[in-house]
Amino acid sequence: MNTLHAPPSFLRACLLHAGYELKRRFSSLKWLLFGGSFILAWSLVLRYIILGGTRLIEEGEDSGLSQLLLHKLELLQRFDWPSYELAICWYLLELFLAPMVMLLSADILIQDRDARRLRFWQARSHRLSIVLGRFAAKAIILAGLLSIAVFSTLAVTLFRESGSVEASLGAAMVMCLLLFFLGLPYIALMLLSSVFSSSPLRSLLTAFVGLLLISWILSYLSNIFAPFVLLNAVLPGTHSPVLDQCSASECLPAIGLPLIQTSWVLLLALWFWRRQDI
């Protein structure tokens, strides 16, 4: 009796693929440099943009930067962040989340396909376990990067006594969860684009151009037939309307839409992969 697809074996295969991906990334000099560069870049952002912008707002200086930050933060007041530092952190991370995740996941399958490892693995485990394992590894790395960014901002907030400990900690945890789930569809999108691409750069271009074209087509069709506008909700990057109508402590239901987006993109990637000779 073949037990390859029995639940324990399937779950174990997912864990093995995720563990292999994490081990390879963290043992690679290129990825160690990437992690160090991210920490250095975020330190500069924290020092000169988040702290600098907070001081400008608190001191009430009538400068272009302070007015720009105040204008943007007025749009974020619905989240009721307990400090300006966390509000600016949310704005910056949400703004650069898509390119960061797409760069992080650009080579999600390409290197292994070039080395003929995918052909070896798919003969010994279900393709879905490979997809989910790779996806889980990238999701863990994304969670780590977001945690570094958000909780370093939280540490600065508490050091400056800009907000209460409980409110700031709760807001930071909610921010991490929201950004994490908003980033998952982009990992799935890069996995889908890597099925058709032979290099990380081509994978990025495929994902960007494909998303742009589909968004334009749906926008054009929605002008002809209004119900087509509902299809925009399934595109990665589309936020739930719940995010526009709730405070930071009440917006966790917004994670439902990115989970739906992630699921159908992963299934589409698996469907195309099953029809290709990798």
Side-chain angles (χ1 to χ4, degrees):
M1 178 179 178
N2 184 8
T3 60
L4 181 61
H5 303 310
S9 298
F10 177 79
L11 293 176
R12 184 171 181 271
C14 292
L15 293 175
L16 287 173
H17 288 297
Y20 171 81
E21 179 73 7
L22 289 173
K23 181 180 179 180
R24 184 179 61 172
R25 296 306 180 187
F26 287 109
S27 62
S28 168
L29 178 60
K30 181 179 72 173
W31 274 79
L32 291 176
L33 290 175
F34 173 82
S37 300
F38 175 82
I39 293 174
L40 177 60
W42 184 255
S43 299
L44 296 175
V45 169
L46 189 60
R47 171 66 179 85
Y48 293 104
I49 298 181
I50 295 180
L51 285 179
T54 300
R55 289 194 184 99
L56 286 176
I57 294 172
E58 291 177 345
E59 293 171 1
E61 293 187 15
D62 190 15
S63 64
L65 179 59
S66 63
Q67 293 302 315
L68 175 63
L69 288 172
L70 282 172
H71 173 69
K72 294 299 182 183
L73 293 179
E74 285 175 1
L75 303 178
L76 300 173
Q77 285 181 352
R78 61 181 181 272
F79 290 104
D80 194 25
W81 300 119
S83 68
Y84 282 122
E85 291 93 341
L86 289 175
I88 298 174
C89 177
W90 164 264
Y91 173 71
L92 291 175
L93 289 177
E94 186 187 26
L95 182 65
F96 293 104
L97 182 66
M100 181 181 75
V101 176
M102 292 173 74
L103 285 171
L104 175 71
S105 309
D107 60 345
I108 193 167
L109 289 177
I110 292 171
Q111 290 183 353
D112 290 321
R113 181 170 56 192
D114 293 341
R116 302 292 182 180
R117 284 189 290 262
L118 284 181
R119 186 183 297 273
F120 173 80
W121 285 327
Q122 72 182 14
R124 290 160 177 80
S125 61
H126 198 285
R127 295 187 187 192
L128 181 59
S129 67
I130 301 175
V131 168
L132 293 181
R134 295 308 177 84
F135 178 84
K138 294 297 185 182
I140 291 172
I141 296 174
L142 172 63
L145 295 177
L146 290 175
S147 298
I148 291 172
V150 173
F151 286 101
S152 62
T153 306
L154 173 65
V156 170
T157 299
L158 297 179
F159 178 77
R160 296 183 69 248
E161 299 181 351
S162 301
S164 66
V165 175
E166 292 184 1
S168 298
L169 180 59
M173 294 177 67
V174 169
M175 187 187 302
C176 272
L177 283 174
L178 284 174
L179 290 170
F180 174 74
F181 283 103
L182 290 175
L184 293 183
Y186 295 109
I187 301 178
L189 177 65
M190 295 311 299
L191 199 150
L192 173 61
S193 67
S194 67
V195 173
F196 305 100
S197 307
S198 57
S199 70
L201 180 58
R202 290 182 179 179
S203 180
L204 282 171
L205 291 175
T206 300
F208 178 76
V209 173
L211 194 60
L212 190 65
L213 285 176
I214 294 175
S215 177
W216 182 83
I217 292 171
L218 289 179
S219 177
Y220 176 77
L221 291 176
S222 64
N223 292 329
I224 300 175
F225 187 57
F228 273 111
V229 74
L230 298 176
L231 295 178
N232 285 317
V234 301
L235 290 179
T238 303
H239 292 183
S240 170
V242 175
L243 280 177
D244 299 325
Q245 302 170 359
C246 62
S247 65
S249 59
E250 300 172 344
C251 55
L252 287 181
I255 67 177
L257 183 58
L259 285 178
I260 294 173
Q261 296 167 353
T262 302
S263 299
W264 80 261
V265 176
L266 283 177
L267 291 174
L268 189 63
L270 182 65
W271 186 81
F272 278 112
W273 186 4
R274 289 174 63 88
R275 282 153 180 79
Q276 287 192 0
D277 183 20
I278 295 181

